[in-house]
Amino acid sequence: MKSRFLFLIFFVGLNSLSAQLYSDVTEEVGLSHITYDPNQMSGGVSIIDFNNDGYEDIYLTGGRYSDHFYLNKGDGTFIDATIDTGADSMVDYYTVGVVAGDLDNDGFTDLFITTQQGQPNICLRNINGQYFKQVSSEAGFFGTKWSTSCTLGDVDLDGDLDLYVSNFVNFSGDPFFRNIISEEPNHFIENKDTWTFGTSELEFVGATDGCTLVSCFTDIDDDMDPDLYVVNDFGSIYTPNEVFLNDPSNDQMVERAEEYGMDVRMDGMGIAIGDVDGNGYFDYYLSNIGECPFFLTETGPVFNDGNLRYNVNDGLGFSWGTFFADLDNDSYLELFVAKGSISESYDPQFNKLYTYDPSIDNFRDISRRAGIDNPHKGRGAAYADLNNDGLLDLVVNNVRIKENNEGNALIYFNQGSEPGNYIKLKLEGTVSNRSGIGAQVQLFSGDRMLKREVTGGSSYLSNNSYIVHFGTGDMVIDSLVVLWPSGMHQSFNQVSSNSFYYLKETNDLQIYDYGNTTSTRPTVTSGKLFNLHVFPNPSRDQITFNINSVSLNEAFVFLYDGNGSMMVKKELKNLKPNTSQSLDITHIQPGVYYLCLNNSIRSQCEKVIVID
């Protein structure tokens, strides 16, 4: 009897441990997409809230087959809106990758889609959340090279999104890898004005043509401007990876990969970005053939080999789309890696999911138990909370190299046994770009800081959700800090777990009522602001300001320059409504600055022009 009882305990425990964390819900939620590409490389995923209803939608590239756009109905299912939204205009294009971003700062997210050799890249403008319109020609987008990934970032910090298009190889026939003529130069495209794009005077010092599959604007040196990581395929034959640090004062991006030990020669496919060890610096995992390089930042930018520290590498097969995200809401990041061979025949390689276990201070491979280890040819991958339950779901786009191959795009819903605690934050820039790309968000609890970056495309051919997500576990939250690309800093102390917040730059933090909204614009609760008024503007020698709505016992006023450096700090006591305060700026050089008033609860910033 005792032995049977012990066996029962063992069996129940084993059954519990083997319970899947994710469920393949592709068919039941209404997704039916196939990517077909004899050249093996297509299969992008873009997460986009097309109509600003708070339910995130999915765009999938199809290679030689049609792209598809799926609109989230808000009930856990999707509708194929490809034709209704005009996305079927892509039917005649051989598409590869996709990235989303508000390119004209009108509040609606647009799409940029890369294509195969001989075809132009395509930009789909989002018209008021109603339909897409092709604007590539009139906007000035150029090039007919084989483009792969595209990354977005405000490189010149002028408040709009620029583009860096990764180009692959020039080839003379199929299969491409046996007929390569040369590597291709990448393209930086400057956003000059509303729907006017073109070449830039920005100099990429030390740039070399390479076979680039993924590039990403990310703050490598921790100075709050977008640097650029370029990851190349065929690195052992052609060009190693490149790292360009942003030098806005000289209008340059300067190549520094060798100096930082990041000039790896590899067959690079994707970039995962996250502060894995919680030291306040972003770490970088690169998907590859075989072993995947992992750069663990000690101090920015000094890097150690993360594979010597963490168990996140099986050293086998072909790795593609990848990302760090907190998938179980325990406050620690997981690592997902999409796997897939380049063989025309059945050659199973299984996706990987590594979860951090604080009890061993390392990662564990839970791919089989998680239910995400399908044997198809994985390419693009992205995460988003698709059913708004606070848990991040996964989208993986598989490719068929032959039409009779198996494999289609898959959606995995997160079935975590407990929802866990979380915070979600939707950002909307005003001085910064509307999408909030390049912003960093820090969550403080005791001696821990969790850090996220809103990145405009990094996983292979794809972009993740731009809604910032923190799993908070059992943390007691002290504060939430948002660092905007404009240089504005906003901090908030009264923040609760299991909340979805909305923050418009310079305004107060508000609850986003996404579950009940019927508007095409975000619906938020009203919040009390300082009603900060700055005058005169432009100013010289002295800035005067007052607040019109509240009294403050204690607050601070800061003046930041355009790079986010604090120029002036002043403590304020017993501040009354409609009482003017002044700030001496006789030592400040002419230029654009941001005056920010901050107390323990909220922050508000105003743009100030200083003149001679």
Side-chain angles (χ1 to χ4, degrees), residues 272-279 281-284 294 296 310 312 323-336 353-358 362-364 366 383 392 448-453 469-472:
I273 303 169
D275 180 11
V276 176
D277 53 3
N279 69 348
Y281 298 101
F282 293 119
D283 309 304
Y284 298 90
F294 182 16
L296 199 63
Y310 293 117
V312 289
F323 49 77
F324 287 110
D326 189 350
L327 302 179
D328 57 6
N329 284 348
D330 67 347
S331 78
Y332 299 99
L333 294 174
E334 276 71 48
L335 174 66
F336 177 84
L353 179 59
Y354 301 93
T355 186
Y356 178 78
D357 184 347
N362 211 326
F363 285 83
R364 292 186 295 109
I366 61 166
Y383 65 77
L392 293 176
R448 292 188 65 195
M449 180 186 76
L450 310 184
K451 185 176 180 180
R452 303 288 189 265
E453 180 180 50
H469 173 275
F470 292 96
T472 57

Side-chain angles (χ1 to χ4, degrees), residues 173-186:
D174 295 332
F176 80 89
F177 51 85
R178 293 178 182 166
N179 297 280
I180 294 176
I181 299 172
S182 64
E183 62 272 56
E184 291 282 23
N186 298 327

Side-chain angles (χ1 to χ4, degrees), residues 233-283:
D233 196 5
F234 301 114
S236 60
I237 302 173
Y238 297 107
T239 305
N241 297 341
E242 296 177 308
V243 170
F244 294 92
L245 297 190
N246 197 342
D247 182 6
S249 61
N250 292 310
D251 205 21
Q252 292 180 332
M253 299 285 284
V254 182
E255 211 286 308
R256 305 282 290 276
E258 183 177 1
E259 178 180 345
Y260 298 143
M262 302 176 78
D263 57 333
V264 183
R265 292 186 177 273
M266 60 181 289
D267 299 292
M269 281 86 158
I271 306 173
I273 303 169
D275 180 11
V276 176
D277 53 3
N279 69 348
Y281 298 101
F282 293 119
D283 309 304

Side-chain angles (χ1 to χ4, degrees), residues 281-522:
Y281 298 101
F282 293 119
D283 309 304
Y284 298 90
Y285 181 95
L286 312 181
S287 55
N288 189 28
I289 299 175
E291 185 165 309
C292 299
F294 182 16
F295 294 98
L296 199 63
T297 312
E298 181 180 340
T299 57
V302 176
F303 299 93
N304 295 323
D305 185 351
N307 288 313
L308 299 177
R309 172 67 181 83
Y310 293 117
N311 174 35
V312 289
N313 222 318
D314 65 353
L316 301 173
F318 293 73
S319 300
W320 302 83
T322 183
F323 49 77
F324 287 110
D326 189 350
L327 302 179
D328 57 6
N329 284 348
D330 67 347
S331 78
Y332 299 99
L333 294 174
E334 276 71 48
L335 174 66
F336 177 84
V337 185
K339 294 268 193 173
S341 79
I342 60 172
S343 171
E344 293 181 348
S345 60
Y346 181 74
D347 177 19
Q349 296 182 12
F350 302 98
N351 299 333
K352 287 292 183 180
L353 179 59
Y354 301 93
T355 186
Y356 178 78
D357 184 347
S359 69
I360 60 173
D361 190 23
N362 211 326
F363 285 83
R364 292 186 295 109
D365 182 350
I366 61 166
S367 311
R368 181 66 56 88
R369 178 166 67 90
I372 50 81
D373 59 336
N374 78 75
H376 302 307
K377 303 181 192 300
R379 293 300 187 261
Y383 65 77
D385 182 6
L386 295 172
N387 56 357
N388 287 335
D389 63 354
L391 292 162
L392 293 176
D393 310 301
L394 311 179
V395 183
V396 180
N397 199 352
N398 297 297
V399 68
R400 298 187 184 187
I401 300 173
K402 281 189 167 183
E403 289 188 275
N404 62 357
N405 286 161
E406 296 182 359
N408 55 292
L410 299 175
I411 292 182
Y412 296 98
F413 272 5
N414 193 330
Q415 305 289 339
S417 58
E418 296 292 337
N421 295 313
Y422 67 90
I423 284 178
K424 292 166 57 176
L425 175 63
K426 179 180 176 65
L427 298 175
E428 181 179 341
T430 53
V431 182
S432 304
N433 68 85
R434 196 76 173 259
S435 298
I437 290 174
Q440 296 182 22
V441 185
Q442 301 168 343
L443 188 72
F444 291 89
S445 175
D447 60 356
R448 292 188 65 195
M449 180 186 76
L450 310 184
K451 185 176 180 180
R452 303 288 189 265
E453 180 180 50
V454 182
T455 304
S458 59
S459 177
Y460 180 73
L461 308 180
S462 305
N463 71 268
N464 298 304
S465 169
Y466 293 149
I467 295 175
V468 178
H469 173 275
F470 292 96
T472 57
D474 58 0
M475 298 171 66
V476 177
I477 300 167
D478 297 326
S479 63
L480 180 76
V481 177
V482 179
L483 312 177
W484 294 92
S486 65
M488 295 184 184
H489 298 184
Q490 294 181 264
S491 61
F492 306 93
N493 288 11
Q494 297 180 355
V495 180
S496 302
S497 286
N498 303 322
S499 299
F500 184 6
Y501 289 105
Y502 165 73
L503 180 62
K504 189 171 184 178
E505 189 175 12
T506 77
N507 287 6
D508 199 9
L509 190 67
Q510 302 176 350
I511 294 293
Y512 185 21
D513 188 17
Y514 64 90
N516 300 311
T517 181
T518 56
S519 169
T520 58
R521 300 296 301 144

